Amino acid sequence: MIETSDLVKIRKQKIDELRRAGEHPYPNDVTVKDTSSSIRARYDTYGKDDFAGIDTIFTIAGRIMALRMFGKAAFVNLQDRSGQLQAYVRRDYVGADVFGSFKKFDVGDIISVEGRLFKTKTDELTIQASAVRLLSKGIRPLPEKWHGLTDVETRYRERHVDLIMNPKVRDTFKKRSAIIKHIRDFMQERDFLEVETPMMQPIAGGAMARPFKTHHNALDMDLYLRIAPELYLKRLVVGGLERVYEINRNFRNEGVSTFHNPEFTMMEFYQAYATYEDMMRLTEELFTGLARQVFGTLTFDYQGTEIDLTPPWRRISLKDAVVECGDVDPAVLDSPADAEAYARRIGLVVEEDQPLGKTVVAIFEEIVEEKLVQPTFITQYPIEVSPLSRRSARDASLTDRFELYIHGHEIANAFSELNDPEDQRERFLMQLKAREQGDQEAHEMDEDYIKALEYGMPPTAGEGIGIDRLVMLFTDSPSIRDVILFPHMRMKK
């Protein structure tokens, strides 16, 4: 078996031979008129005899994925952005000089082919080349034909090769683009304005998460990569942009897992004169519309489990979910000491003087989340973990908030927004106390945001949807790395 380094040397030698012959191995003067899919769409159903009267000359370009030489002729499988098409290159048709150069081509090279169509004895639609050109000489060989690029870590590290070799991967990212387009169309139809807010912020706000920190030399100030766009989007609502949304990147200095990447895509949107219950209905409409577009139905399989998005989706409070799924006495969740003792019994680490609400949420995440397979809105989150949410009118210790769970994972988070500046200040002070006690994810004080609220923000509801997790769901992908083109990886040693 020839080593990769030896193959690279051989291909470099071929480049030298082409240059000595006066041929450019990387020209940039080709015009491509056709794609494999456009040709197939029109001519795949034609019979062999139907091509006799067709004199059209087609030009396609793509990467050689297979090359079968037969002396003075060859069959080539070309792959472009839309699929694959076979070409037949024969010395008699292209000329001796061109065919001599062609014999220096390898699998992985990018070429253009010009010619008429015909069908082979095996009924394969084929371009009979009258001209063929090398457009880009591949130096590194592609992975072995039959096994392809199968090592998961290598696939993520070398996504360019992954995309070349795996049609399913290309299809996943085409679906991702289509899903995001559907979301944008959905929001525009409902009069939401797409906006962009700062990626670098003087205060990391809008979520409870650890930020990445950087420094701006000219301004001589520390800045943080945003953990959420929330506080800026709500400033826009204050300014009279009553329906806004943003699809963009967030950055959180957290662990990496099948559902977490330090850099990820979110959609956040805010609607004035709405409540978190309006967000539930809008979320159902968005997800069911996506399901119909992608699957043509509201039921589909995700990782071997049938998911049914038929609305209305289940709604249950966080405490009731713990009682129901964990068989926990409701009284335990009302007592800091009893909740702390229960949390420790199930293996959780509880900090000294930890707020009851934070303990209850930790219990929920440990014993309930993975059981929420079908779409479920978990409501009434404790105020201690919801510093930007409106208090519930029924219970001041809870908030008008929900998180959406599907297949055991959070997909969306929404709430009726806190628009009382005095209450917001108290919440920030509560978070500062938590930071002083060691909670590095607690929210900082943001005086500028409070000042914005003092101008008056209308009653508003907002929501964040994890685009990567949503794409995972609709492409049956087991890991977030499968739906992010270039996921973060540990450096190779």
Side-chain angles (χ1 to χ4, degrees):
M1 183 177 179
I2 303 177
E3 295 293 330
T4 298
S5 58
D6 294 328
L7 289 173
V8 168
K9 288 180 182 178
I10 292 171
R11 293 193 176 196
K12 286 184 176 181
Q13 289 171 1
K14 290 182 178 180
I15 290 176
D16 291 339
E17 292 171 6
L18 288 167
R19 291 187 192 278
R20 285 196 297 270
E23 297 181 41
H24 197 324
Y26 304 99
N28 189 23
D29 59 352
V30 67
T31 299
V32 181
K33 300 187 299 182
D34 308 289
T35 65
S36 60
S37 63
S38 66
I39 293 173
R40 287 192 177 280
R42 184 170 180 182
Y43 297 104
D44 248 349
T45 58
Y46 277 43
K48 295 183 181 67
D49 298 334
D50 296 332
F51 292 97
I54 300 177
D55 294 326
T56 305
I57 300 297
F58 298 89
T59 304
I60 67 168
R63 191 180 299 275
I64 299 176
M65 300 304 294
L67 177 60
R68 302 179 299 284
M69 295 292 297
F70 303 99
K72 297 180 180 180
F75 282 103
V76 181
N77 283 3
L78 284 187
Q79 177 172 285
D80 63 11
R81 68 181 184 275
S82 65
Q84 290 194 11
L85 190 67
Q86 180 173 265
Y88 179 57
V89 183
R90 183 170 168 175
R91 178 179 174 177
D92 293 351
Y93 298 153
V94 299
D97 291 343
V98 172
F99 195 78
S101 298
F102 172 77
K103 289 194 294 184
K104 295 182 175 65
F105 295 179
D106 295 292
V107 171
D109 291 353
I110 297 173
I111 67 172
S112 65
V113 175
E114 180 180 297
R116 293 182 172 88
L117 292 175
F118 76 102
K119 279 199 170 178
T120 64
K121 293 179 180 179
T122 57
D123 212 34
E124 178 69 24
L125 185 63
T126 305
I127 288 186
Q128 181 172 289
S130 55
V132 59
R133 289 186 66 195
L134 177 67
L135 302 181
S136 181
K137 182 66 184 174
I139 296 175
R140 290 189 173 274
L142 296 179
E144 196 271 327
K145 174 182 175 182
W146 300 111
H147 296 96
L149 190 63
T150 56
D151 179 76
V152 173
E153 182 170 326
T154 302
R155 285 182 51 227
Y156 298 148
R157 289 187 185 278
E158 300 185 19
R159 182 68 85 189
H160 45 289
V161 184
D162 191 24
L163 290 166
I164 293 170
M165 300 304 300
N166 295 322
K168 187 177 183 298
V169 174
R170 294 196 299 276
D171 185 58
T172 292
F173 288 101
K174 288 178 181 178
K175 285 182 178 177
R176 178 186 174 110
S177 180
I179 287 169
I180 293 175
K181 181 181 183 302
H182 177 95
I183 292 172
R184 283 194 162 100
D185 292 343
F186 178 92
M187 300 303 287
Q188 184 174 1
E189 289 168 2
R190 286 155 182 78
D191 200 29
F192 282 83
L193 178 69
E194 184 173 11
V195 298
E196 294 177 301
T197 60
M199 292 277 195
M200 294 192 296
Q201 304 176 354
I203 295 176
M208 298 178 68
R210 294 184 64 181
F212 290 95
K213 185 177 181 180
T214 187
H215 184 80
H216 192 286
N217 292 330
L219 297 177
D220 191 23
M221 64 183 294
D222 290 337
L223 292 168
Y224 300 89
L225 294 182
R226 75 174 181 199
I227 55 177
E230 178 170 342
L231 301 188
Y232 285 90
L233 289 173
K234 289 195 285 193
R235 285 175 171 90
L236 299 181
V237 178
V238 171
L241 303 183
E242 296 175 350
R243 297 189 179 196
V244 293
Y245 79 99
E246 180 172 11
I247 299 176
N248 220 321
R249 293 300 180 92
N250 290 345
F251 307 85
R252 297 181 184 179
N253 201 347
E254 58 189 16
V256 176
S257 71
T258 56
F259 270 76
H260 294 87
N261 192 67
E263 178 182 0
F264 61 98
T265 303
M266 288 279 291
M267 177 175 76
E268 283 206 21
F269 56 98
Y270 293 85
Q271 179 178 341
Y273 314 110
T275 71
Y276 78 115
E277 293 179 332
D278 295 313
M279 297 295 100
M280 291 187 197
R281 289 188 287 272
L282 189 146
T283 305
E284 288 177 343
E285 291 175 10
L286 174 59
F287 280 51
T288 54
L290 274 171
R292 290 190 178 97
Q293 175 180 298
V294 176
F295 305 112
T297 177
L298 297 184
T299 59
F300 56 92
D301 283 344
Y302 177 71
Q303 297 299 293
T305 300
E306 184 179 83
I307 302 297
D308 185 356
L309 296 185
T310 303
W313 300 343
R314 188 185 186 203
R315 304 180 183 188
I316 183 173
S317 73
L318 187 142
K319 283 187 177 181
D320 287 346
V322 172
V323 170
E324 180 181 301
C325 297
D327 194 25
V328 178
D329 185 339
V332 169
L333 305 180
D334 293 326
S335 165
D338 292 344
E340 181 178 317
Y342 181 86
R344 290 203 169 99
R345 282 202 302 274
I346 61 175
L348 296 177
V349 176
V350 181
E351 302 168 2
E352 186 176 353
D353 297 325
Q354 180 168 289
L356 173 61
K358 189 173 181 180
T359 305
V360 172
V361 169
I363 293 171
F364 164 81
E365 292 173 347
E366 179 69 19
I367 67 174
V368 179
E369 278 189 355
E370 65 180 11
K371 299 176 182 178
L372 302 174
V373 177
Q374 299 305 321
T376 304
F377 292 118
I378 299 296
T379 65
Q380 298 178 34
Y381 275 73
I383 197 169
E384 296 94 336
V385 296
S386 311
L388 301 164
S389 306
R390 187 182 188 90
R391 291 180 189 268
S392 169
R394 291 170 293 183
D395 186 337
S397 69
L398 302 176
T399 59
D400 290 339
R401 173 185 172 188
F402 74 77
E403 287 189 359
L404 170 63
Y405 285 84
I406 302 177
H407 202 266
H409 293 282
E410 177 201 347
I411 305 292
N413 178 28
F415 38 83
S416 297
E417 303 297 333
L418 176 57
N419 62 344
D420 179 342
E422 293 304 316
D423 193 352
Q424 185 63 80
R425 180 181 294 279
E426 291 301 318
R427 304 284 190 92
F428 282 160
L429 290 172
M430 183 190 303
Q431 290 292 300
L432 286 178
K433 183 178 180 181
R435 288 181 71 86
E436 291 170 359
Q437 295 174 343
D439 186 350
Q440 296 182 349
E441 295 185 354
H443 209 294
E444 292 189 51
M445 175 64 74
D446 190 336
E447 292 285 357
D448 185 70
Y449 175 66
I450 294 174
K451 182 179 178 181
L453 289 184
E454 288 175 344
Y455 282 97
M457 183 173 79
T460 299
E463 181 169 353
I465 297 176
I467 297 297
D468 305 310
R469 295 183 180 184
L470 184 65
V471 175
M472 287 175 63
L473 182 68
F474 284 104
T475 59
D476 195 22
S477 299
S479 172
I480 195 170
R481 294 180 177 183
D482 294 322
V483 300
I484 295 176
L485 280 168
F486 300 101
H488 290 283
M489 307 283 290
R490 191 183 300 276
M491 293 289 289
K492 278 188 172 183
K493 295 182 179 179

